[in-house]
Amino acid sequence: MTIAVNAIFFNSANLEGYGHYTVSIFKLLVNQYPEHQFVFVYDRPHEADLIIGANVQSITVAPAARHIPAFFYWYNISAALAVRKLKADVWVQPYGFCSLSTAIPQLLVVHDLAFKHFPKHISWTQRLHYAVMTPRFLKKAKRVVTVSEFSKKDIIQYYPQLQLDPMVISGAARNGFKPLTWEEKEQVKEAYTEGYEYFLCVGGINPRKNMMHILKAFSLFKKWHKSNMKLVFAGRLAWQYQDFLEKLKFFKYRNDVVLTGYVEETILQKLTGSAYAALYVSDFEGFGLPIVEAMQSGVPVVVGNNSSMPEVGGDAVLYADAADPEAIAAQMQLLYRNEQMRENLIQKGIERATHFSWEKAAQLFWEEILATKAVSS
């Protein structure tokens, strides 16, 4: 069997949630099924293949699909022709988009329907594209996968006419996320926060990650405690970040805020494992890999009480209303004041993280690939 995989977000210099999810699963599948051929289809030249093996091929198909007209052309013409030439049995589409022109059966992954909940976070052209095309993508795909029960219910609720039954395949933390020694933590803190403890926020800087309310919460925490605690944002400048950067210039505690930019995985693992606590108080998440990564690293987490995050965190995290900076600050304060609670959350988090497994995800995903092929037979 030949499996084509859309790899347009396999950028080793900027690999985030969607990319980590797909790469983690297919690294396992390539090794587990050497008798099958995997072809990763890129839209631009790339520095190095993230997945290698004797049964792996990478091809580049122009044009670079980074705006709506190019997306349309790439999915429906250039990539569709290339995948047909490969005689692929299944085409995996991991990012919520698929080809409307191909006859090759497609397995579509829809991580979330954030555009339905927070339309103002994207441009009107993107809103229109999602609104018009998402139901067509869902109808065209032979099988649909999503990453949480929350997202599954969302898809069914918004598109009942399609009578969909998406398969839930959740992500997990990669092996490098683990508790660190005291010496390792001290080295990281010396490198990034002048040796001080810090709260960590992981993710691209954009409105959905709720960065402004996190800043306000940190300001309240600093006022209440007068501590040397720092706040570290680890992630690239994603979209609509200008307002955040402008306000940060005049933020009273600006010198206690660290922007690392995008960091490679080994550094992110160290930053996560060395944090006093992680803050993942987004407005909305389809899953939230950094929550599991922090838990597996032995770091307590404060998360938003919305979307999929309670499903991921269970009783192993603290929850706060993402729209209420004071509520976020109160949970930060609780961790700071109550060391026993913090330690209990660390132990609960480590145990909770074991509920999520890339091996399980890969096996379920393989079953969906086989089911996608079978539908077309």
Side-chain angles (χ1 to χ4, degrees), residues 15-67:
L15 193 65
E16 294 180 328
Y18 288 9
H20 282 307
Y21 178 86
T22 311
V23 168
S24 295
I25 287 174
F26 277 94
K27 276 185 176 179
L28 291 171
L29 293 182
V30 161
N31 289 325
Q32 290 171 0
Y33 300 99
E35 70 276 22
H36 297 287
Q37 185 72 17
F38 295 83
V39 184
F40 295 95
V41 186
Y42 293 80
D43 67 334
R44 62 185 64 195
H46 51 285
E47 293 180 4
D49 290 331
L50 294 176
I51 302 175
I52 58 175
N55 58 336
V56 171
Q57 179 185 356
S58 296
I59 64 172
T60 300
V61 179
R66 289 299 188 270
H67 52 75

Side-chain angles (χ1 to χ4, degrees), residues 6 9 12 41 53 58 69 179 186 205 217 237 250 255 259 285 290 313 320 327 354:
N6 179 346
F9 288 156
S12 59
V41 186
S58 296
E186 289 303 302
I205 294 177
L237 299 177
F250 304 100
N255 291 336
L259 303 182
E285 292 294 333
T354 65

Side-chain angles (χ1 to χ4, degrees), residues 93-113:
Q93 302 284 11
Y95 317 121
F97 309 104
C98 70
S99 173
L100 297 176
S101 66
T102 188
I104 296 166
Q106 296 174 92
L107 173 56
L108 177 66
V109 183
V110 178
H111 287 254
D112 61 57
L113 298 180

Side-chain angles (χ1 to χ4, degrees), residues 172-173 177-179 291-301 311-317 342-357:
F177 289 91
K178 58 186 179 182
I291 300 171
V292 187
E293 291 164 355
M295 291 192 297
Q296 186 169 291
S297 300
V299 173
V301 197
E311 180 182 337
V312 177
D315 67 350
V317 301
R342 183 171 176 273
E343 184 58 35
N344 287 340
L345 286 171
I346 288 172
Q347 297 307 316
K348 282 185 176 182
I350 290 172
E351 193 279 329
R352 178 73 180 172
T354 65
H355 293 198
F356 303 95
S357 161

Side-chain angles (χ1 to χ4, degrees), residues 17 92 131 176 188 275 352:
V92 178
V188 172
R352 178 73 180 172

Side-chain angles (χ1 to χ4, degrees), residues 270-289:
K270 298 293 186 185
L271 279 168
T272 300
S274 302
Y276 184 81
L279 307 177
Y280 205 69
V281 198
S282 305
D283 287 331
F284 183 92
E285 292 294 333
F287 184 74
L289 284 177

